[in-house]
């Protein structure tokens, strides 16, 4: 059995990628620009600093200082009203892994406040031993630093950790860190091109939990 599970958040624990894409364009529209579908896909799992470089090079009207406050306010309003949309079997999987003694961390490109907001919305925060967030100043995914920090915080060697991801950036980060990588596809489908950075593909969190316990 693997001793720790390091979870991405958006598109993995919560069905938020499509929601965030919609909210991002709602926030961007009054500011005079829009994100294309390809831009959204290219920045899945990417922290705000790296998003700023990407968007700034492609959208002349993009200004991080006006976009992000509008976006976060829209996301906070949505979650306050509707709750963070959970992926199937979220709490069931966390409960099972916790009962088996698996250490768990969230490793997300999102700011810590967003991670805590979503976890608290689902009643899931008590299952996690650590949070590594995109505002901690670490190099973002696809660099391995965030997953290496997650392994250190839960006290498990990275080679005994599973990294659970839905994006190529996150899978690359997990592979280069030295973890066992599990993909649960969301907006990005699994393709053979991902085989070198993906040890296992699962359809649901329940399946991924079984893979961790049986590994």
């Amino acid at each position: 059995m693997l001793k720790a599970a390091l979870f991405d958040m958006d598109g993995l624990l919560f069905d938020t990628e499509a929601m965030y894409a919609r909210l991002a364009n709602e926030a961007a529209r009054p500011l005079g620009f829009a994100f294309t579908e390809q831009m959204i896909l290219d920045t899945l799992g990417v922290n705000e600093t790296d998003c700023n470089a990407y968007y700034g090079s492609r959208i002349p009207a993009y200004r991080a200082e006006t976009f992000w406050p509008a976006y976060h306010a829209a996301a906070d309003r949505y979650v306050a009203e509707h709750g963070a949309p959970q992926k199937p079997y979220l709490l069931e999987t966390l409960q099972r892994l916790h009962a088996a003694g698996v250490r768990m961390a969230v490793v997300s490109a999102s700011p810590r406040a967003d991670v805590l907001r979503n976890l608290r919305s689902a009643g899931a925060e008590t299952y996690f031993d650590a949070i590594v967030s995109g505002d901690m100043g670490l190099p973002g995914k696809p660099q391995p630093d965030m997953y290496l920090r997650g392994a250190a915080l839960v006290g498990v060697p990275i080679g005994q950790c599973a990294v659970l991801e839905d994006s190529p950036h996150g899978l690359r980060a997990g592979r280069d860190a030295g973890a066992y990588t599990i993909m649960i596809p969301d907006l990005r489908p699994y393709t053979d091109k991902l085989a070198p950075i993906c040890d296992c593909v699962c359809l649901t969190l329940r399946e991924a939990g079984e893979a961790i316990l049986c590994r």
Side-chain angles (χ1 to χ4, degrees):
M1 182 181 78
L2 293 162
K3 297 185 181 302
L6 310 178
F7 293 85
D8 178 47
M9 182 179 73
D10 294 310
L12 195 290
L13 295 175
F14 297 95
D15 194 10
T16 44
E17 296 286 23
M19 179 192 85
Y20 286 162
R22 177 175 57 79
L23 294 177
N25 270 317
E26 288 180 6
R29 197 173 299 118
L31 303 176
F33 63 91
F35 301 105
T36 67
E37 181 180 359
Q38 191 60 51
M39 288 177 181
I40 297 295
L41 290 175
D42 286 347
T43 52
L44 293 178
V46 175
N47 65 25
E48 290 183 9
T49 299
D50 293 338
C51 282
N52 289 338
Y54 178 93
Y55 296 143
S57 69
R58 290 162 173 80
I59 306 173
Y62 179 79
R63 299 291 183 273
E65 64 273 15
T66 52
F67 168 71
W68 288 111
Y71 166 76
H72 286 302
D76 287 345
R77 285 194 299 270
Y78 184 93
V79 173
E81 184 174 350
H82 304 285
Q86 300 175 30
K87 284 289 192 174
Y89 314 115
L90 169 63
L91 294 178
E92 171 192 315
T93 301
L94 297 179
Q95 289 164 359
R96 184 148 189 228
L97 292 175
H98 176 75
V102 176
R103 303 278 287 175
M104 290 183 278
V106 176
V107 179
S108 173
S110 293
R112 184 179 182 86
D114 289 10
V115 176
L116 289 172
R117 178 198 65 207
N118 289 354
L119 293 179
R120 287 168 179 162
S121 170
E125 72 272 23
T126 58
Y127 291 106
F128 292 97
D129 303 290
I131 293 171
V132 180
S133 56
D135 52 359
M136 289 176 64
L138 296 168
K141 304 170 189 178
Q143 302 303 315
D145 302 70
M146 294 182 73
Y147 279 116
L148 291 170
R149 177 67 62 85
L153 289 175
V154 300
V156 175
I158 191 66
Q160 297 175 28
C161 296
V163 158
L164 294 91
E165 275 283 355
D166 66 294
S167 75
H169 286 304
L171 290 168
R172 170 55 64 191
R175 164 62 76 243
D176 287 352
Y180 182 80
T181 54
I182 299 174
M183 183 181 192
I184 307 176
D186 186 49
L187 296 186
R188 287 272 196 181
Y190 175 80
T191 69
D192 290 342
K193 291 182 179 179
L194 296 176
I197 57 174
C198 184
D199 292 307
C200 179
V201 183
C202 296
L203 296 180
T204 66
L205 285 166
R206 177 189 280 171
E207 250 186 71
E210 289 291 333
I212 290 167
L213 294 175
C214 295
R215 175 68 181 169

